[in-house]
Structures are given as C-alpha cells and as structure tokens.
C-alpha cells in the first residue's frame, strides 16, 4: 500500500493511502442550467479495516453519497457533476458499466435501508444470495446454494435449512435484515456500506444487528461505512465519524474527537438531542427548524438559520473545513482563526 505525506507546521506525517477516497464530490439533480445540488464538495477517506460513521438528519445527502460511490444514482435525474471516487487508486466516476458491475457486490457491497423493498418478493431468499455468488465467483448452482446456507447460518438465521427456501414476506424484519447482510457479504467485499441497517427494528434486534455487523467486519477484515442519524449507534462501532448537513461535511474526525470534543454547532446540537438516563426528567433538546430544501438552500453556512451561535457573517460567507488536528476538521466560521499545533 502506498503512503500520502502531510505537512502541518513543518512536521511531516505519513499515512497509508486509503482504500477509498472521495474527493470534491458534487451530485446534482435536474436538467442542465436548473440543477439542484444534493451533495456539494464532499471529501471522505476510508482505510482498510476501518469503520466510518456517516451521520446526519434525513435529507442531508448520506445515502446519495453511498449511491454515488456504487454508481447507483437514479438516472437520468441524478448525476455526478464533479469530483473523483477512487477505489484502490481507480476512479469509479469514469468506470464503464461492465467495470462497475465487477466492483458492485464483489469489492464494494451495500446493505440497503429497507430490506422489504430491496429484496425481490417473488424469489426465495436463498436464491437471491446464491445469485450474487454465481455472478461474481462463477460457482455452479449446488455449490452456490451450499454457500448461501452457510451464510444464513453465519448471520444468525434460525433453521437456515428451512429459511433458505422461504420468500421475504415469510420472514420477520430482523431476519430480512440478516438476509440482506448475507447477500452483501457473499463475496467477502473489501468495503461494506450499511445504510441505516437498524431502521424500523426494535431495540433488542437493533443491538443484535449492530453486534453482528461489528463481528463480521472484524472477522472478514472489511472496511465499513455505517450510515445513520443515530450518534449512539456510531459511538458503539465507528473508528471515525463524518457529520453531514445539507449536502456538505460539517465535521469529521476520530470518533473520540467528534463525539467528545465537537467543534461544529450542528454536531453539538445533535449530541444534545440524545436523551440521557442521568437526566431522565429533563426536557429533551431539539434543533429548531428543518433541513433546508435543495430548491431553497440558504446562503453562507447552510446551518446558520438553525444555529444558536450564528453571527451576521454566517449568512454571508461559506465556511471551508478548518483543520483542528491531523485527523479533525470542522466547517465553521468561528474556527477560522484556529491554528493546529505542530
């Protein structure tokens, strides 16, 4: 693996080149000349074996970023207008359809947000797992079925010999999510993207799914992007965290930096809105207003209409990411005078 060199205050640092690098990604929707920007200038990296938590409210661009990585943006409405998505040094933005078909499922796999809509309702779940194995590894039907059975057992499906021949509607929500995990892991991908993998599951099943994902990620040595709006989930499993707001990165850093030393008002507001057992009788904190519409994005800092710390210049100037350390960055005008320590 190659190395990238960074200089901060005349101090040289060498970090391993990431497995995945997203650079200045801009995703737009709509006809030329009347585009609406959904993802704007996003920069992300993912190292081998690392878990990156991608956090933010619904509509902030988390899932669209993931779909852009996999080349699954809805066409022709959505498109990548600018930027690079490099997997092992290869730019996926300009990859052909056949090249992307080789990457999807084999090198980069995704657990979609809603299993009931992601799974084919008229095909047995075992066949849906086996299809991925046949396409990418060329195994015959009997061998692919045996692998599917092993995967169902590995992800904790009870009575896998019976479940393999059932349809999605015959399984519970937790079982369907485990089937989705089995499909994603069928070819041992280098990167797993998990898009809200615990949505609509009860608390007990959520904990089981998160524990399963973490165990499998460690066992297979995969890198993982965990997309969620729940900072509590991120705190349990993520090595690094990127917080998105209205299509932009508001803050990113190690999990401890972002969760314990938050620098952006939006990150602090998200953390304040998490209920606390120690203050069970206290009034819940909320973030005023709503995520802005793509058709009517505010000027300057996109969070300023909802920010309790906003100043006049926040509506006039767009903040770039300010480096607070080698790994910690935040996009807030209040940080522009901050200097990193060498």
């Amino acid at each position: 693996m190659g190395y990238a060199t960074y200089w901060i205050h005349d101090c040289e640092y060498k970090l391993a080149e990431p497995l995945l690098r997203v650079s200045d990604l801009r995703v737009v929707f709509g006809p030329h000349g009347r585009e609406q920007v959904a993802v704007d200038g996003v920069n992300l990296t993912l190292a081998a074996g690392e878990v990156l938590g991608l956090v933010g409210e619904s509509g902030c661009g988390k899932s669209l970023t993931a779909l852009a990585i996999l080349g699954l943006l809805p066409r022709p409405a959505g498109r990548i207008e600018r930027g690079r998505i490099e997997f092992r040094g290869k730019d996926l933005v300009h990859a052909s359809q056949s090249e992307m078909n080789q990457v999807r499922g084999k090198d980069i796999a995704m657990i979609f947000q809603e299993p009931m809509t992601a799974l084919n309702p008229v095909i047995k779940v075992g066949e849906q797992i086996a299809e991925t194995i046949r396409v990418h590894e060329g195994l015959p039907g009997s061998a692919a079925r045996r692998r599917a059975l092993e995967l169902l057992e590995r992800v904790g499906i009870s009575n896998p010999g019976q479940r393999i021949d059932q349809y999605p509607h015959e399984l519970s929500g937790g079982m369907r999510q485990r089937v989705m995990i089995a499909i994603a892991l069928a070819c041992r991908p280098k990167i797993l993207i998990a898009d809200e993998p615990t949505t609509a599951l009860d608390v007990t099943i959520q904990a089981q799914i998160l524990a399963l994902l973490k165990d499998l990620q460690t066992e297979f040595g995969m890198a993982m992007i965990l997309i969620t709006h729940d900072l509590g989930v991120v705190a349990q499993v993520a090595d690094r965290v990127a917080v998105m707001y209205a299509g932009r990165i508001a803050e990113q850093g190690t999990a401890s930096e972002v969760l314990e030393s938050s620098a952006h008002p939006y990150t602090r507001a998200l953390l304040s809105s998490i209920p606390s057992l120690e203050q069970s009788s206290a009034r819940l904190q909320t973030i005023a207003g709503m995520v802005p519409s793509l058709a009517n994005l505010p000027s300057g800092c996109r969070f300023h209409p909802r920010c309790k710390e906003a100043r006049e210049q926040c509506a006039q100037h767009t903040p770039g990411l300010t480096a607070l350390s080698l790994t910690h960055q935040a996009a807030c005008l209040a940080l522009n005078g901050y200097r990193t320590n060498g």
Side-chain angles (χ1 to χ4, degrees):
M1 183 178 288
Y3 288 84
T5 302
Y6 299 85
W7 291 85
I8 295 183
H9 286 267
D10 298 325
C11 296
E12 181 180 351
Y13 297 86
K14 286 190 175 182
L15 299 177
E17 281 288 355
L19 182 64
L20 179 74
R21 183 191 298 276
V22 178
S23 306
D24 196 25
L25 180 66
R26 182 179 174 94
V27 175
V28 299
F29 283 79
H32 289 283
R34 290 185 291 149
E35 299 94 344
Q36 295 182 1
V37 181
V39 176
D40 191 7
V42 164
N43 294 283
L44 295 171
T45 60
L46 183 68
E50 180 182 45
V51 179
L52 171 66
L54 192 54
V55 184
E57 294 169 276
S58 296
C60 72
K62 309 184 300 295
S63 296
L64 284 176
T65 299
L67 292 175
I69 291 170
L70 283 168
L72 292 176
L73 290 171
R75 303 277 185 178
R79 64 187 182 279
I80 295 174
E81 186 180 71
R82 187 181 70 224
R84 292 176 62 86
I85 300 170
E86 297 173 88
F87 171 67
R88 289 179 154 182
K90 179 178 177 58
D91 185 9
L92 300 183
V93 173
H94 298 105
S96 67
Q97 190 61 46
S98 62
E99 289 173 326
M100 286 305 302
N101 287 340
Q102 289 298 313
V103 170
R104 289 191 210 104
K106 183 178 181 181
D107 293 320
I108 306 177
M110 185 166 179
I111 303 170
F112 292 93
Q113 189 166 351
E114 177 45 64
M116 199 58 191
T117 56
L119 292 170
N120 192 318
V122 298
I123 298 178
K124 296 173 181 179
V125 295
E127 174 59 24
Q128 296 189 55
I129 301 171
E131 179 184 19
T132 300
I133 299 167
R134 290 197 306 271
V135 168
H136 289 292
E137 298 190 4
L139 290 183
S142 58
R145 180 181 169 85
R146 283 195 299 272
R147 176 86 70 81
L149 191 62
E150 292 169 2
L151 284 164
L152 286 175
E153 185 174 8
R154 181 61 191 87
V155 298
I157 293 283
S158 60
N159 300 319
Q162 174 188 348
R163 305 297 185 190
I164 195 170
D165 290 318
Q166 291 185 320
Y167 293 94
H169 72 270
E170 297 180 274
L171 305 180
S172 67
M175 284 187 179
R176 287 194 292 268
Q177 192 62 280
R178 290 172 190 270
V179 169
M180 289 294 299
I181 294 171
I183 293 172
L185 298 182
C187 298
R188 292 180 172 259
K190 305 295 186 299
I191 298 173
L192 176 65
I193 301 175
D195 188 3
E196 301 277 8
T198 59
T199 296
L201 300 177
D202 64 54
V203 175
T204 303
I205 302 300
Q206 282 185 22
Q208 293 175 3
I209 294 296
L210 285 174
L212 174 64
L213 283 173
K214 185 60 179 174
D215 288 347
L216 292 170
Q217 182 263 334
T218 302
E219 177 185 335
F220 289 12
M222 299 179 297
M224 182 165 71
I225 299 176
L226 176 62
I227 298 173
T228 181
H229 61 273
D230 190 337
L231 283 168
V233 168
V234 164
Q236 295 179 54
V237 298
D239 301 306
R240 288 193 304 114
V241 179
V243 181
M244 286 190 73
Y245 184 79
R248 291 178 177 164
I249 298 293
E251 183 168 1
Q252 60 182 334
T254 65
S256 60
E257 287 171 334
V258 173
L259 300 179
E260 297 171 18
S261 305
S262 306
H264 197 283
Y266 179 57
T267 310
R268 292 196 291 269
L270 286 176
L271 289 167
S272 298
S273 65
I274 299 175
S276 169
L277 292 175
E278 291 77 19
Q279 299 176 322
S280 57
S281 61
R283 186 178 180 86
L284 287 175
Q285 299 296 310
T286 60
I287 305 175
M290 299 287 291
V291 175
S293 164
L294 296 181
N296 189 29
L297 292 170
S299 60
C301 174
R302 292 181 180 175
F303 185 59
H304 87 264
R306 306 173 68 190
C307 181
K308 295 179 180 179
E309 304 172 33
R311 297 172 289 180
E312 183 178 347
Q313 57 264 44
C314 295
Q316 301 168 354
H317 304 286
T318 301
L321 286 167
T322 297
L324 307 179
S325 74
L326 182 62
T327 54
H328 192 190
Q329 301 172 310
C332 180
L333 290 176
L335 301 172
N336 278 356
Y338 191 92
R339 293 292 180 268
T340 57
N341 296 319

